[in-house]
Amino acid sequence: MLIYNSQISVKEYNRIRLAVGWKELDEEQARIGLENSAYLTVAWDDSESRGETKPVGMARVISDGGYMALIVDVMVLPEYQGKGVGRRLMENITEWLDQLTKDGRCVMVNLMATPGNESFYEKFGFAARPNDHMGAGMVRWIND
């Protein structure tokens, strides 16, 4: 059975990063990033048959507290992909973001999809870039 909360350790976070083929982060840098998340949702498998609970996916939002938000670290362990975990993580984020606009305010939400996953995010209303209204998203890694 999967449960969702907002808790994950740096070691568990880095374990998921490595499992999905991403770079392991410095522990202090990862801790600061996690603590400064505006919103964090984590999927945990608490199967009784294993006798332990482990994080199997997560996603988080960083924000300026005004109108800009960025969805980052949408990750699901490979053996749990295709089972609705990513969808549920994104639904949790969408519900949280919807609360920010209840009073009629607007929020611009950005994300960078990993190659081949654009159609997953389009189901949540995201538009692939570039398009007729927006240029290509860009990124720069420093000291990677």
Side-chain angles (χ1 to χ4, degrees), residues 63-75:
S63 172
D64 65 4
Y67 79 96
M68 292 295 298
L70 177 66
I71 298 173
V72 297
D73 292 339
V74 180
M75 305 180 286

Side-chain angles (χ1 to χ4, degrees), residues 109 111 118 121-131 133-135:
V109 183
L111 66 82
E118 296 86 355
Y121 296 105
E122 287 172 348
K123 296 173 189 171
F124 296 94
F126 288 90
R129 294 177 72 168
N131 58 42
H133 306 288
M134 296 177 281

